[in-house]
Structure formats: structure tokens, C-alpha cells
Amino acid sequence: MTRPETRTETSPEAGQGGLAFAFRHCEELVREGDPDRYFATLFAPAAFRPHLFALAAFSLSIARVREAASNPMAGEIRLQWWRDALQGEARGDVRANPVAAALEDAIVTRRLGRQPFVDLIDARVFDLYDDPMPRVNDLEGYCGETASSLIRLSGLVLADGAEPGGAAAAGHAGVAYGITGLLRALPWHARQGQVYLPGDLLRQNGVTREDIVSGRGGPGLVRTCAELRALARRHLAACEAARTTIAPAARPAFLPTALVEPYLAAMERSGYDPLNSVIEIPRWRRLWRLWRAARTGR
């Protein structure tokens, strides 16, 4: 297997010590906190990786606000700081935050719109509270504003100013990837009192929030997770059907979706327990799947 190149090149601006540090910080943050996206990014052209890592580090930082905040109001304040930073209204030197500095360079250099980043922040307000996800459509919308948006923005970076196409494909890819990630994280979220599973599906299957956060589970939860895996696969198939609309330069943005099916299949093995099973894939297999997807474009 050909190993992905690990050398990182930065834009000319990154020659300045502060920005170079910011890019390194983002890369390390993604490597430790989101290894699947880190490995996928290594298959993208080296010149674009610093900004791709900046986008991923921003997304990861926003996703971790609940962990860092002592209560929902403190989390709201942190998210507002990011909104202000994106809109040029934050107090103090935003560049002192390495993720914000790297993200600002990505937005300016790659001519990205700021609204998708604000929309991602707004979607993550849900994370701060313990309310269940109301409906399947709300779950799809949440994944669209977070995972799909990150794929679309990454495609824009890779296209370097050209139209990357594949907007619908990015939408479907992100929903498939997001649902899969939430199913994998279900045991951890349940212990934190968070329920991302749609309330309409839970009611249909006779599952209550207490069944999940107490660890009780049951057949209804198993059925709910099976229905969500089927939903993820439908979105994955829709992404595949729209693959011809994606510009070749933007295809590395979709590489993380190569890991969706293996993760879903692992959840269907004998003995799988939605609230207790840890779903992992050996690192060599993840790299092989990413390498194959990078080589074949699918």
C-alpha cells in the first residue's frame, strides 16, 4: 500500500511564525481529536492541507464546547465569541487563538463565505442542552449544517476558487457520515445525558429518553439504530449517484465517507449493543479504505 505523504506545505502567508504555528496547532488538534479526518486529509494535495486542517480544527473546537463549558450559558458565550470572531466583532486579538487565526487565513485566502461557519455554530447550540432530537428531518438538518457543510467547504478549498460542484453530493455525504458518527458515539452521549436519536423514531419503537441515558436500552433501541443505519446508507447511495457532479479536484473532501460502510457493518456484528459496544476499525484497514477511495475516486 502506498503511504500518504505526510509533509505539510503552507501558503506563503504561513511563513510568518504566528500563522505557521497556528497551522501546526490545527493539524495536531485534528490528528488527536479526529484521526479519520486527519488521515483522509493526508491524501489531499499538500498545498491545501493547512487550510483543510484549519476547517477541521474549527469544526472540532465547536463540537467540544459542551465539554469545555461548565453549563449551557457558558457554552453559549463561547459560541458567541466564535460568531463575533467570524464577523470581525470579537474583542481583543482574535489571532491569539491559533484555530481562529488559521481559519481566518483559510477564509480570506480561499475566498470562502462566512455564513456556513456561523450556521455550523448555530447548529451546535443543540449540543449544549439535553433535549432529544425532535424528528428525523431535524437530525438530517443538524448533520447537514455540520458534517455536510465541512465537506462542502473543504471542496471549495480544494477547488481553489473554482466551482467544485457536488453540492447535493456533499449534503448526502455529510448526513451519512454524521449519522454514523452519532451512532458510534451513542454510549458516550448517553452517559452525558445527550440524545441525538430522533424522538419520532424512538416513540415508534417504544423507547424513552430514560431508557437511553440510564443504559437500559432494549429491543426498541436496537430497532431504532437499525433504521438509522438504513437511513445513513440511503444517503450514502444518493451521494454515490451524484458523484459525477463533483469536480475531480474536490473529491478528496469526500474521502471520509469511505469509512461509513465499514463502521455501519461493524454495528451489525453479533453481540452489538448500541449503548455499550465500542465501534472501531483497525488503523491499517482505515488507511487502506482511504487509499483505495483516493485512488479510484469512490
Side-chain angles (χ1 to χ4, degrees):
M1 182 181 75
T2 301
R3 293 179 179 271
E5 183 183 351
T6 58
R7 181 172 58 90
T8 300
E9 296 179 3
T10 61
S11 62
E13 293 88 345
Q16 304 168 19
L19 196 51
F21 168 79
F23 286 139
R24 290 195 302 270
H25 175 83
C26 289
E27 181 173 349
E28 186 64 23
L29 190 67
V30 177
R31 183 171 68 176
E32 293 181 358
D34 192 352
D36 286 351
R37 196 173 297 280
Y38 171 79
F39 290 134
T41 303
L42 294 183
F43 288 95
F48 298 104
R49 290 180 208 156
H51 289 150
L52 294 175
F53 282 129
L55 267 58
F58 163 76
S59 177
L60 186 59
S61 297
I62 300 303
R64 287 177 166 178
V65 164
R66 174 169 171 141
E67 299 174 43
S70 57
N71 56 66
M73 182 55 66
E76 293 265 17
I77 292 171
R78 286 174 179 264
L79 292 181
Q80 186 58 49
W81 183 90
W82 277 102
R83 291 190 193 92
D84 292 344
L86 283 164
Q87 296 166 348
E89 299 173 358
R91 294 183 178 180
D93 186 3
V94 171
R95 292 172 297 179
N97 181 310
V99 176
L103 180 66
E104 181 65 19
D105 189 75
I107 290 172
V108 173
T109 303
R110 304 299 178 184
R111 301 178 294 283
L112 304 175
R114 295 177 185 269
Q115 190 59 44
F117 296 98
V118 176
D119 292 341
L120 187 152
I121 293 170
D122 291 344
R124 287 289 186 181
V125 171
F126 179 86
D127 300 357
L128 303 179
Y129 300 90
D130 294 338
D131 301 327
M133 187 71 69
R135 298 171 297 275
V136 170
N137 286 346
D138 296 303
L139 175 62
E140 291 173 310
Y142 173 87
C143 292
E145 297 288 4
T146 53
S148 299
S149 181
L150 188 57
I151 292 172
R152 173 66 174 169
L153 288 165
S154 297
L156 289 166
V157 168
L158 288 161
D160 198 22
E163 169 54 48
H172 290 298
V175 175
Y177 190 78
I179 290 175
T180 302
L182 290 172
L183 288 173
R184 290 180 63 211
L186 179 56
W188 187 85
H189 286 147
R191 290 193 294 272
Q192 303 301 314
Q194 291 178 285
V195 180
Y196 288 87
L197 306 187
D200 52 358
L201 277 187
L202 294 176
R203 287 190 295 274
Q204 289 173 21
N205 290 305
V207 183
T208 66
R209 178 182 182 278
E210 186 60 26
D211 291 331
I212 296 173
V213 299
S214 68
R216 186 162 52 239
L221 180 59
V222 173
R223 289 194 298 273
T224 299
C225 291
E227 291 177 36
L228 288 174
R229 290 196 299 273
L231 177 62
R233 285 189 169 109
R234 289 196 294 274
H235 280 283
L236 196 62
C239 173
E240 183 61 32
R243 187 166 292 277
T244 56
T245 67
I246 306 168
R251 287 175 185 166
F254 291 78
L255 283 180
T257 60
L259 303 176
V260 167
E261 181 54 42
Y263 281 131
L264 295 176
M267 296 176 202
E268 294 167 344
R269 295 173 187 157
S270 176
Y272 168 65
D273 180 347
L275 290 176
N276 293 290
S277 297
V278 177
I279 301 302
E280 290 292 352
I281 300 174
R283 176 175 167 175
W284 68 265
R285 188 180 172 202
R286 282 180 284 158
L287 284 170
W288 180 79
R289 294 281 304 204
L290 292 168
W291 171 81
R292 188 178 70 173
R295 184 180 183 190
T296 63
R298 60 178 60 246

